[in-house]
Amino acid sequence: MKFVGLLLSCALAALAGANDTFLLRNVDVYPVTAKEMKGVSVLVQDGKIAEIGPKVTAPKVVKVVEGKGLRVYPGMIDSATNLGLQEIQSVRESVDTGDLGQFMPQLRALVAVNPESEHVGAVRVNGITSAITLPGGGGGRGGGGGQMISGQAALIHTAGFTWEEMEISRSAAVQVNFPSLGGRGGRGGDIPPEVLAMLGEAGGAAGGANARRTYEENLAKLNQFFDDARNYKAAKAAHPAGFQTDLKLEAMIPVLEDKVPLAVSAASADAMHDAVTFADKQHVKMVIMGPRELGKEGPELKDHNVAVILGRPLALPEHEDDSYDQAMALANQFYKAGVKFAFGTFTNEFVRNLPFQAAAAAGFGLPADEALKAITINPAEIWGVSDKVGSVEKGKWADLLVVNGDPLEIQTKVEHVYIKGKEIELSNKQTKLYEKYMSRQ
């Protein structure tokens, strides 16, 4: 009997000492996938949400966090970053994106993630608990004649001592810089319209012909690579003697089996149409990255169940004759078209502003609850991890944001952030510098 009592005491002591087990008491929970629950408690055990309700109790040894007057939301997810791969863009040694090679699907962003990146610490204090990190530079808005497949994007937590601890999905998508015929300079176009105007009519015609030729050549190369991957898959299934593994083609098998989607950059409506046509031809799943306009593509995207990752709403219009609020109103256009979307900042320096980017879209027509979904449950569903993160539900990881108001409002204060049930210290390089200089004599 004494032995049983000793075991029970040890178990209770271990439970009390666990830093991923606690009770959030008397909080207002906003699950995102259901109506808000006022004055309830959230029990977290072993990093997962165990119970939510008004009468939830916990063993006496479990840590209790009093949350009267506070709100609980799911941690936010940024769907397009280079977190952990790029520190200072102008210092090449600190940039681990955009490796050489036209087709590099075997490269995994996850294994190159630097958990000690200052960017990671800066974003999690504002409630961003997860992010897609892309192996290609520039947030995946390619389209020229360079790298066409950059590698495998990873979905990571913004906390952990190693990349293994940060991993949510090591192969969330394969990043594809889809060929594009034109558009605004630096946003998927080969020749900016301003340059064509300088060249004159003849030069413009020649430039257009060259752009068309480059586009068709790149598209043919991309189709050929997918055909080669499909032939490789068939050959491997036949188990021939002396079969040689090709790492590049091997990495494409999950894509061909619809287990991993393509993350395809397509800025214009025409580029989106071409990308959908390509995905149909190759029978693969796809997510559109960084569209700058919708055009008439809404019905096609909806019919093909293609989700999109929108860039920052606080941006300049795509074309000189566009309305001033073209970028701000874009999310509402996709919402009205019935297309599932999420937000991505496509940079590292603006990831911390993710909730305010969503708020900007809400200020230009997008319903506030849809803006919140676009940085929580929508990206979780798009990247295939909605069983783990994206909402406050029983059985999911306790990636929680505890605040004193609406997280989309800039004046709201973040009180606690939990990632897999572990409370994150709300400090980063900026807060430490603030404290340092405020305390000097």
Side-chain angles (χ1 to χ4, degrees):
M1 190 68 182
K2 289 181 179 180
F3 180 69
V4 174
L6 180 62
L7 286 178
L8 181 60
S9 298
C10 291
L12 290 174
L15 188 63
N19 61 359
D20 59 358
T21 298
F22 60 94
L23 179 73
L24 268 174
R25 187 166 60 190
N26 197 22
V27 293
D28 298 335
V29 174
Y30 291 75
V32 175
T33 53
K35 291 184 178 180
E36 66 270 21
M37 295 177 280
K38 302 285 188 177
V40 300
S41 296
V42 181
L43 177 62
V44 175
Q45 290 182 324
D46 299 325
K48 292 187 175 181
I49 300 171
E51 294 290 344
I52 306 173
K55 299 181 180 180
V56 175
T57 58
K60 293 181 179 179
V61 293
V62 171
K63 177 184 176 182
V64 176
V65 179
E66 185 59 51
K68 185 176 182 180
L70 299 179
R71 302 181 180 185
V72 176
Y73 291 87
M76 292 178 278
I77 305 170
D78 192 316
S79 288
T81 75
N82 293 127
L83 278 180
L85 302 178
Q86 188 179 96
E87 199 69 10
I88 304 173
Q89 192 170 10
S90 59
V91 179
R92 186 65 186 91
E93 291 79 6
S94 71
V95 177
D96 207 354
T97 59
D99 283 53
L100 297 176
Q102 195 166 35
F103 297 99
M104 306 297 288
Q106 79 282 12
L107 298 182
R108 289 189 291 146
L110 180 65
V111 299
V113 167
N114 173 21
E116 299 301 321
S117 169
E118 296 288 358
H119 292 291
V120 175
V123 306
R124 64 187 175 215
V125 300
N126 210 29
I128 292 88
T129 57
S130 310
I132 285 285
T133 186
L134 298 162
R141 291 186 182 179
Q147 192 174 66
M148 300 183 73
I149 297 183
S150 301
Q152 301 171 38
L155 181 62
I156 61 172
H157 274 129
T158 54
F161 285 102
T162 65
W163 60 261
E164 290 94 341
E165 290 184 10
M166 299 173 75
E167 174 187 348
I168 300 176
S169 175
R170 66 178 53 200
S171 185
V174 171
Q175 184 183 1
V176 176
N177 299 310
F178 198 75
S180 174
L181 264 175
R184 184 171 178 165
R187 291 181 177 168
D190 293 292
I191 301 179
E194 295 85 356
V195 176
L196 290 178
M198 291 171 61
L199 292 173
E201 185 175 347
N210 289 335
R212 166 62 65 177
R213 182 166 57 251
T214 300
Y215 166 78
E216 292 176 349
E217 289 174 353
N218 288 335
L219 189 56
K221 290 178 182 178
L222 191 59
N223 275 298
Q224 185 60 54
F225 183 77
F226 273 77
D227 292 342
D228 292 345
R230 191 166 283 105
N231 293 335
Y232 173 86
K233 178 175 177 287
K236 181 181 179 180
H239 304 291
F243 180 79
Q244 296 292 321
T245 299
D246 186 310
L247 294 179
K248 293 185 179 183
L249 300 179
E250 187 77 23
M252 294 299 295
I253 292 178
V255 174
L256 300 176
E257 293 177 343
D258 271 354
K259 295 178 180 178
V260 175
L262 299 176
V264 180
S265 62
S268 67
D270 288 342
M272 285 191 287
H273 171 73
D274 292 346
V276 171
T277 302
F278 171 82
D280 271 356
K281 177 181 178 180
Q282 295 296 341
H283 305 289
V284 294
K285 294 191 297 184
M286 175 183 64
V287 178
I288 296 289
M289 307 293 289
R292 297 286 299 173
E293 61 186 12
L294 178 59
K296 299 180 180 179
E297 280 303 296
E300 184 175 37
L301 294 175
K302 182 180 179 181
D303 291 344
H304 288 80
N305 197 29
V306 175
V308 302
I309 306 301
L310 299 175
R312 303 190 307 278
L314 298 176
L316 294 174
E318 179 67 2
H319 307 290
E320 62 181 17
D321 56 349
D322 283 338
S323 171
Y324 78 96
D325 62 350
Q326 184 263 340
M328 294 84 155
L330 188 60
N332 192 40
Q333 294 175 22
F334 277 93
Y335 169 68
K336 288 182 176 179
V339 178
K340 178 168 285 190
F341 65 92
F343 286 111
T345 48
F346 290 91
T347 61
N348 284 349
E349 61 266 32
F350 294 117
V351 178
R352 70 178 76 189
N353 292 333
L354 179 67
F356 312 135
Q357 299 287 347
F364 284 83
L366 182 67
D369 58 339
E370 293 299 326
L372 185 59
K373 288 180 181 178
I375 53 177
T376 52
I377 190 61
N378 282 7
E381 292 175 348
I382 290 170
W383 304 118
V385 292
S386 59
D387 60 326
K388 299 177 181 178
V389 297
S391 61
V392 184
E393 295 181 76
K394 182 178 178 179
K396 291 190 177 184
W397 284 340
D399 290 0
L400 305 175
L401 171 63
V402 183
V403 292
N404 66 354
D406 188 337
L408 301 188
E409 296 289 344
I410 198 167
Q411 68 267 29
T412 296
K413 182 182 178 182
V414 176
E415 300 288 352
H416 306 279
V417 173
Y418 298 92
I419 296 179
K420 296 184 76 172
K422 296 181 180 179
E423 185 164 12
I424 303 302
E425 182 183 0
L426 298 181
S427 66
N428 55 30
K429 184 176 182 179
Q430 285 75 30
T431 60
K432 290 175 182 177
L433 287 173
Y434 169 80
E435 292 168 359
K436 173 183 177 180
Y437 288 103
M438 285 300 291
S439 62
R440 68 178 179 176
Q441 301 297 323

